[in-house]
Amino acid sequence: MTSDAYRPSPPAQVGSEAAGDRWTLVLVRELRHPPERVWRALTEPGQLAAWAPYSADRDLSEAGGLTLTMIDDEKPQDMEAEVVRAEPPTLLEHTFGTDLLRWELAATGTGTRLTLRHTVQERDWLPKVAAGWHICLDVAEKLLEGRPIPPIRGAAAMNFGWSELNDQYARTFGVPATGLPDHLKDDAS
C-alpha cells in the first residue's frame, strides 16, 4: 500500500488534563497487536523511523540520554532527549524537546490499549498534537499489520487529512483550530 491510498481512521478517544502551567493530551487507541509487538514499534529505531515524526540514535528500551532527530519537515533537527522510564512492554516515558511523552500499553483480549499522554506548553497545541499522533499511529498500525506505508509527517500530513482532524480535535477540546505550526507553514506552500 502507498501513502496515496491512506485515509485517516475515525477520531480517537481523546481528553486533556491540566498539568500545572502545562497541558497533557490523553489519546487512547485500541491496536490489534500484543503489547510486546507494539513496544518494539515504540522503541526500536528502525521501526520508529517508519512511522514517528522522529528517528532515534538508539533503542528506547532503557533509561538514559539519546538524540531524537525530528524529521517532520525538510530540515531534520537533532534534539537531546531522555528516556525517563522504560518498563517493557507496558510503560515508556521520554522527553521530546520541552514536551514529555508517556506511552502506556495494556493487554486486552484483542491486542493492546495504547494510551499516549503528551504534555505540551500551551492548550492550543492539543488539537495539533492529537491530529499529528493520530496520523502517525495510523501509519504505525499499518506497519504492525505487515502492510507498511511510507511515514506521513510534517507539512505533508496536510495532504492526508491533518487539517480535518485538527478541526475535529479542536472542537473536542473547545479551542480554536489554529492550523499548522509556524515552522511547517512555509513547507506547506
Side-chain angles (χ1 to χ4, degrees):
M1 175 185 243
T2 66
S3 54
D4 292 340
Y6 166 78
R7 297 293 173 266
S9 62
Q13 176 185 336
V14 295
S16 65
E17 301 168 348
D21 62 344
R22 303 179 67 172
W23 289 86
T24 300
L25 164 71
V26 180
L27 186 146
V28 179
R29 290 283 291 256
E30 300 292 332
L31 303 172
R32 297 178 301 269
H33 312 283
E36 296 78 13
R37 194 156 171 212
V38 175
W39 177 263
R40 288 191 301 273
L42 293 173
T43 59
E44 292 178 2
Q47 291 195 49
L48 270 174
W51 67 270
Y54 50 78
S55 61
D57 69 342
R58 71 166 181 88
D59 193 289
L60 278 69
S61 291
E62 294 182 15
L66 73 148
T67 299
L68 296 177
T69 301
M70 284 294 299
I71 45 181
D72 70 350
D73 61 20
E74 297 300 317
K75 303 165 221 95
Q77 178 182 1
D78 289 344
M79 70 174 105
E80 295 303 311
E82 180 179 358
V83 174
V84 179
R85 290 177 66 185
E87 299 172 13
T90 60
L91 177 64
L92 174 65
E93 190 172 63
H94 65 88
T95 60
F96 180 57
T98 60
D99 296 356
L100 180 67
L101 277 68
R102 179 182 173 96
W103 304 89
E104 302 166 4
L105 287 73
T108 66
T110 58
T112 301
R113 176 172 299 112
L114 171 70
T115 302
L116 168 60
R117 297 175 185 279
H118 184 154
T119 302
V120 298
Q121 298 274 349
E122 298 173 22
R123 188 167 184 249
D124 289 354
W125 272 84
L126 294 173
K128 294 176 189 7
V129 172
W133 283 121
H134 181 114
I135 291 172
C136 286
L137 290 171
D138 280 355
V139 174
E141 180 77 15
K142 301 282 186 207
L143 176 70
L144 290 166
E145 290 171 354
R147 299 181 308 123
I149 62 174
I152 300 170
R153 47 192 167 219
M158 293 292 288
N159 300 324
F160 296 97
W162 184 89
S163 291
E164 293 82 2
L165 288 166
N166 181 53
D167 291 348
Q168 290 173 350
Y169 287 126
R171 284 191 298 277
T172 299
F173 293 123
V175 299
T178 56
L180 270 179
D182 289 339
H183 75 280
L184 295 176
K185 286 182 180 174
D186 292 337
D187 296 333
S189 30

